Amino acid sequence: MKRAALWPEEHLPPHRLPPPWPGRPVRLDGTVTYVRDTPATGPDAEPALYVHGLGGSSQNWTDLAGLLADRLDGQAIDLPGFGRSEPGLRYTIPSFADRVVRWIEHSGRGPVHLFGNSLGGAVAVHVAGRRPDLVRTLTLISPALPFLNFGRSLQGRMLPLLAIPRGERLAAWRLAQLAPEVMARQAMEACVADLSRISEQRRQEALEEIRVRYEATHYAAAYVRTFRGLVASFLRSYLPGPGSLWRIAAAIEAPTLVVGGMKDRLVDVRVAPQTARIIPDSRLMMLAGVGHVAQLEVPRTVARAVLHLLAEAAETPPPAPPAAGVDGPPTTGVDGPPTAGSVALRGDGGDAPECGGDAAWRPGVAS
């Protein structure tokens, strides 16, 4: 593991707020997978695939995919049961990973630069560890890899629901009690450390996405069953056998960037450093004052770290800084270079996750 480095800010495109990238339904293996395409703006762009977290959607990658479009020809998929994709038969990490693998094979774009946030990070680890031929580089943002102290996560309050037979019915009832505006606010508060970084446009888009969930009768069941599958994968990872996510992570060959937010309220903040320690060719960036979805909260900082990863993977030296007395392009944006009182970068991250832990559901919270 080494400390992540940042590509120069002046090589990012100017700040703007694009609308969600255009999407389309694709029938794959008998069910519909919804995919959003971020058209490449550079002639030599390479394929990338973005995978969202629990309760999220392909829309979570709008800003980051746009910032990287000069280098990456991006696609973001809605996992089965989420966003605008049809429900799946199973909601486990291996089943989601199989869907990602099938998508890469179906699209004919592999190997890809693979991105995963939270649940999507666990899925991406499974893909990269099991199918190294499909992954060029790997970027994990607050990956939901195993930890057993659920007192370190807001999602710990949901654990009792897993013990209730047909708990998804209770979840659906609870969902119906909340106005979409309330759910959108709760999700933002859980995922984002500094809400002032989220524009009004992005808040309204999140609200519209919540309304899509209300129209999907399968959503509550997909959420609960996925959370159950995620917890099961955590427990399995501390037992002997090949299904451990930690063992799979140790087998990853792709150059990897791991990003963690020091104010993450959904995944134990010690998971990102532990992930970087276990993946052989890894770089770690811990962001002070940032929550669970760094690609939404500080997309420019994440983009700079990704660009440096891509350059390392291609063995391209970083560009020289502007000559003395010559100003570079403006660096206005949601997040610029770290300054006093703003985002701070750390290359370490405390101790590894520990075993043990304890157990009100916050529906729609991405993890």
Side-chain angles (χ1 to χ4, degrees), residues 110-126:
V112 300
H113 298 280
L114 185 60
F115 293 72
N117 172 222
S118 197
L119 165 72
V123 172
V125 162
H126 202 284

Side-chain angles (χ1 to χ4, degrees), residues 230-280:
L230 187 62
V231 171
S233 75
F234 284 13
L235 298 174
R236 193 176 301 113
S237 292
Y238 292 98
L239 299 174
S244 167
L245 279 170
W246 291 125
R247 293 185 184 90
I248 295 171
I252 291 174
E253 302 174 3
T256 299
L257 168 67
V258 183
V259 179
M262 296 295 289
K263 288 192 174 183
D264 193 333
R265 302 175 69 197
L266 295 173
V267 170
D268 189 332
V269 297
R270 299 170 298 175
V271 167
Q274 176 74 350
T275 302
R277 290 188 189 104
I278 286 179
I279 295 176

Side-chain angles (χ1 to χ4, degrees), residues 82-105:
F82 296 95
R84 290 166 171 80
S85 286
E86 291 182 348
L89 296 177
R90 303 180 66 212
Y91 295 92
T92 64
I93 301 300
S95 65
F96 286 133
D98 288 345
R99 172 54 46 136
V100 171
V101 167
R102 284 291 296 120
W103 177 261
I104 296 172
E105 293 174 338

Side-chain angles (χ1 to χ4, degrees), residues 14 18 37 120 127-128 159 186 200 294:
D37 299 283
V127 173
L159 283 176
Q186 287 186 352
E200 183 59 29

